[in-house]
């Protein structure tokens, strides 16, 4: 866990990355649960390696210019993430400057906290894919990615051949495929049935439960880890629960917010490995990371959570 001195050191170091003078970021306290509870983890089926269940996405939230103010704010967000046991950071060349901003912050950390670095390849052509992945490593400040996935199945046959070779050569630890589009689910299912994937990534939340029909059961059957994006359905879940009291079952699970409630409902599915909510706000990150601790719902509790949400 990073201490107050390390957080202040990061805030001081961030302006040097962009040649300016930043407004100092406030120290970020660790999530209260992080001081007493063990982090919830799930194994990657293909290896048994344990991952904290709450990771971090970077779509839109980290796609900002490298101003001193932005770097200080994103640095504080990552400090809150690491302080609460976070490790999985997911990005993509599709996300504009997100990879670079993650790399800017990681370069400033000494010692660097444990990071499970994940990105995607999002282009067409073998050489283009290789060049893009090498650029991503430079931007995110990693020597070797833990996970590279093919973004939205783009030219997947070409890139999967490269990734299989890279994995065999030790250039990447895990490989996978992602989609955020329901129209691609059937093709993804066929790939999952035929190819030796370590990870798949797709959307799943209380409003979008299509993944329950085939993707999650097949992942469980085939021993493929799942990384869940859009856990808040782009914020629409909060629109429905605004000013609504949490149901009693939330207390059983240690949930003090609807955000934690939504994340823990997803984590109640046994085929879910990790969830990657994205935020650029420290207080939202601190709230998200509370779902990294405490009990996860069993079948009864999960059904009760569903009933409470649909009744709103």
């Amino acid at each position: 866990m990073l201490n107050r001195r390390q957080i202040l050191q990061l805030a001081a170091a961030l302006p040097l990355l962009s040649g300016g003078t930043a407004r100092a970021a406030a120290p970020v306290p660790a999530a209260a649960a992080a001081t007493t509870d063990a982090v919830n983890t799930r194994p990657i089926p293909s290896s048994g390696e344990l991952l904290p269940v709450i990771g971090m996405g970077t779509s839109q939230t980290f796609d900002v210019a490298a101003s001193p103010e932005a770097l200080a704010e994103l640095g504080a967000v990552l400090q809150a993430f690491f302080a609460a046991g976070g490790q999985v950071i997911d990005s993509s060349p599709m996300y504009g400057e997100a990879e670079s901003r993650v790399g800017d912050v990681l370069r400033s950390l000494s010692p660097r906290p444990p990071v499970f670095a994940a990105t995607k390849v999002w282009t067409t052509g073998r050489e283009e894919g290789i060049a893009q992945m090498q650029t991503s490593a430079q931007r995110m400040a990693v020597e070797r990615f833990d996970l590279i996935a093919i973004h939205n199945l783009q030219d997947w046959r070409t890139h999967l051949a490269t990734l299989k070779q890279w994995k065999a050569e030790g250039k990447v630890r895990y490989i996978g495929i992602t989609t955020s589009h329901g129209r691609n689910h059937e093709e993804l299912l066929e790939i999952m049935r035929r190819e030796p994937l370590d990870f798949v990534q797709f959307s799943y939340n209380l409003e979008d439960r299509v993944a329950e029909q085939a993707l999650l059961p097949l992942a469980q059957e085939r021993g493929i880890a799942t990384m869940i994006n859009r856990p808040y359905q782009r914020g629409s879940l909060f629109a429905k629960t605004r000013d609504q009291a949490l149901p009693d079952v939330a207390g059983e699970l240690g949930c003090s917010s609807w955000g934690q409630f939504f994340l823990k409902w997803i984590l109640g599915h046994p085929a879910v490995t990790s969830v990657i909510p994205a935020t650029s706000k420290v207080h939202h990150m601190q709230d998200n990371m509370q779902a990294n601790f405490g009990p996860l719902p069993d079948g009864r509790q999960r059904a009760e959570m569903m009933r409470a949400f649909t009744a709103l």
Side-chain angles (χ1 to χ4, degrees):
M1 182 183 299
L2 299 173
N3 58 37
R4 183 177 185 275
R5 179 179 60 80
Q6 289 171 313
I7 293 169
L8 291 173
Q9 286 176 338
L10 173 63
L14 285 171
L16 302 178
L17 298 172
S18 56
T21 302
R23 182 176 64 251
V28 181
T35 63
T36 58
D37 296 344
V39 173
N40 286 319
T41 60
R42 292 267 171 88
I44 300 171
S46 64
S47 69
E49 178 181 355
L50 296 176
L51 289 183
V53 293
I54 301 297
M56 185 188 79
T58 57
S59 175
Q60 299 184 18
T61 53
F62 272 62
D63 181 19
V64 296
S67 70
E69 293 79 11
L71 286 170
E73 290 170 3
L74 295 180
V77 168
L78 272 175
Q79 293 289 10
F81 176 71
F82 291 131
Q87 292 185 18
V88 179
I89 300 176
D90 178 75
S91 198
S92 171
M94 184 186 187
Y95 304 159
E97 296 299 312
E99 290 179 319
S100 295
R101 297 296 80 80
V102 171
D104 288 341
V105 176
L106 291 181
R107 287 185 187 94
S108 73
L109 296 176
S110 181
R112 178 187 250 179
V115 175
F116 185 95
T119 196
K120 308 176 186 75
V121 55
W122 184 63
T123 188
T124 299
R126 180 179 182 276
E127 297 305 319
E128 291 81 0
I130 290 172
Q132 187 179 74
M133 291 185 288
Q134 291 171 336
T135 298
S136 291
Q138 296 169 358
R139 295 175 74 184
M140 279 186 72
V142 298
E143 292 185 7
R144 178 180 66 162
F145 276 106
D146 295 288
L147 166 64
I148 300 178
I150 300 160
H151 201 144
N152 286 339
L153 283 71
Q154 182 161 341
D155 198 10
W156 69 264
R157 291 176 178 83
T158 299
H159 300 316
L160 187 56
T162 299
L163 288 174
K164 287 178 181 178
Q165 180 179 348
W166 275 27
K167 184 180 176 182
E169 295 172 352
K171 294 180 180 180
V172 64
R173 298 179 63 222
Y174 300 105
I175 62 176
I177 295 186
T178 82
T179 181
S180 298
H181 306 300
R183 65 180 179 273
N184 291 334
H185 282 186
E186 286 303 319
E187 186 174 8
L188 178 57
L189 287 165
E190 284 303 309
I191 299 169
M192 290 169 64
R193 293 184 184 106
R194 297 197 311 265
E195 299 290 349
L197 303 176
D198 298 300
F199 275 83
V200 288
Q201 182 184 139
F202 45 79
S203 303
Y204 179 51
N205 56 65
L206 270 165
E207 280 190 346
D208 180 2
R209 303 192 295 275
V210 174
E212 292 177 346
Q213 297 172 12
L215 286 174
L216 285 165
L218 182 59
Q220 193 167 24
E221 175 189 329
R222 294 277 292 158
I224 302 172
T226 62
M227 191 175 288
I228 304 302
N229 59 40
R230 299 183 183 176
Y232 301 138
Q233 191 66 351
R234 294 192 178 276
S236 68
L237 301 189
F238 293 113
K240 185 171 183 178
T241 56
R242 186 175 294 117
D243 299 325
Q244 300 289 330
L246 285 165
D248 291 342
V249 67
E252 299 175 18
L253 301 169
C255 296
S256 59
S257 71
W258 281 106
Q260 297 164 32
F261 181 95
F262 299 143
L263 293 174
K264 286 204 170 185
W265 180 85
I266 295 170
L267 291 167
H269 197 293
V272 169
T273 307
S274 66
V275 188
I276 50 170
T279 184
S280 59
K281 305 296 183 184
V282 172
H283 66 286
H284 287 163
M285 178 60 77
Q286 291 172 326
D287 190 74
N288 290 344
M289 296 309 290
Q290 290 288 348
N292 224 20
F293 304 91
L296 298 177
D298 58 23
R300 175 195 63 81
Q301 291 168 319
R302 202 161 182 265
E304 190 172 339
M305 295 168 84
M306 173 64 71
R307 285 193 296 270
F309 178 76
T310 55
L312 295 176

